[in-house]
Amino acid sequence: MKRVVVVPSILSANFCRLGKEIQEVLKAGCNLIHFDVMDNHYVSNLTMGPMILKSIKNSGIKVFFDVHLMASPVDSLIPLFANLNVQFITIHPESTNHLDRTIQLIKKIDCGVGLALNPSTSLHFLDYVIDELDLILVMAVNPGFGGQKFLTYVLKKIQQVRSLIDKSQKNILLSVDGGISLSNIVNVIQSGADYVVVGSAIFHSDDYLKTIRKLTDIIIDN
């Protein structure tokens, strides 16, 4: 049976108690945290950077991070995430003038390479770089802000990416981010997701542990 992983997105966490928020979701069995970096250029929002990730690591929190760079130009940021417990660095093809060069920069710091596809981003980018990827992130909302509504037409895109991954016969993970909740997670996993990135549904709930267990139970049942 396919194992789908719930990845909490701390974009929706309470930044005043970020360390405790991370510890809470780790108690629920999560072992990968989604870390959104926004620069107020590629998207119209400003969030976290490598200094915060370094502080989390130095505090003794032992967890791997899935870093999603919504920044442009992106190349100068990538080396700053070296040696910070980063498992994946995911970039947008629109954020760089030379996509292959940027992919090689991620490989150089020994991180898995992810490519993020916005709702309107063409899948043709994958024609040229899919063999270089470890993860493909399908955005189910337009990037920039948490708490947005899931765009249902993206389910078709998830299915298309799943088909491309299967045809490639590569060990590439399919991640989906944006508006995922208890009410739509079934559709997401049935469309082919390996990772479901969940922010507001977890961190805006009264009980993180209970919510993550509910999400996990739905995954197991489907």
Side-chain angles (χ1 to χ4, degrees):
M1 183 178 66
K2 179 180 176 181
R3 181 174 179 264
V4 180
V5 176
V6 175
V7 183
S9 171
I10 57 174
L11 178 63
S12 298
N14 181 346
F15 283 16
C16 287
R17 57 190 304 272
L18 187 55
K20 291 182 179 179
E21 298 271 86
I22 293 172
Q23 294 284 17
E24 287 297 315
V25 296
L26 295 182
K27 289 177 184 176
C30 299
N31 55 18
L32 185 67
I33 300 292
H34 194 78
F35 189 91
D36 285 311
V37 178
M38 304 180 190
D39 68 346
N40 200 34
H41 293 282
Y42 180 71
V43 294
S44 55
N45 196 4
L46 185 65
T47 59
M48 305 168 283
M51 289 180 65
I52 291 178
L53 195 57
K54 184 176 181 180
S55 294
I56 293 170
K57 179 184 176 182
N58 290 344
S59 73
I61 295 175
K62 299 184 184 302
V63 64
F64 284 102
F65 288 88
D66 167 24
V67 173
H68 179 193
L69 296 181
M70 288 167 273
S72 181
V74 72
D75 288 4
S76 61
L77 277 175
I78 290 168
L80 303 180
F81 288 91
N83 303 314
L84 291 180
N85 293 346
V86 176
Q87 186 165 350
F88 302 103
I89 290 181
T90 298
I91 58 169
H92 289 256
E94 304 91 347
S95 70
T96 175
N97 291 326
H98 303 285
L99 181 55
D100 183 70
R101 182 181 297 167
T102 304
I103 287 172
Q104 299 311 315
L105 285 174
I106 298 172
K107 290 178 177 289
K108 189 174 181 180
I109 64 168
D110 200 27
C111 289
V113 178
L115 190 69
L117 303 173
N118 292 336
S120 62
T121 299
S122 172
L123 297 184
H124 290 305
F125 283 104
L126 298 176
D127 293 343
Y128 304 98
V129 299
I130 193 167
D131 290 346
E132 300 294 321
L133 303 178
D134 301 290
L135 180 145
I136 299 171
L137 172 61
V138 176
M139 295 297 297
V141 299
N142 290 298
F145 295 89
Q148 297 185 65
K149 184 178 179 180
F150 184 92
L151 299 173
T152 56
Y153 68 81
V154 174
L155 291 171
K156 180 180 178 181
K157 190 168 198 170
I158 300 168
Q159 294 162 9
Q160 291 171 329
V161 174
R162 178 78 269 164
S163 178
L164 290 171
I165 290 173
D166 292 344
K167 287 178 182 177
S168 77
Q169 297 184 328
K170 299 288 184 178
N171 186 26
I172 302 169
L173 294 165
L174 174 50
S175 181
V176 181
D177 181 12
I180 297 176
S181 66
L182 292 166
S183 64
N184 60 30
I185 191 172
V186 170
N187 292 329
V188 174
I189 61 176
Q190 290 182 346
S191 295
D194 298 299
Y195 284 1
V196 285
V197 178
V198 185
S200 298
I202 293 173
F203 290 105
H204 293 177
S205 69
D206 294 330
D207 189 325
Y208 301 167
L209 178 61
K210 186 176 180 180
T211 300
I212 292 170
R213 283 179 175 170
K214 283 183 177 180
L215 290 165
T216 303
D217 287 344
I218 291 172
I219 290 170
I220 292 171
D221 292 340
N222 289 273

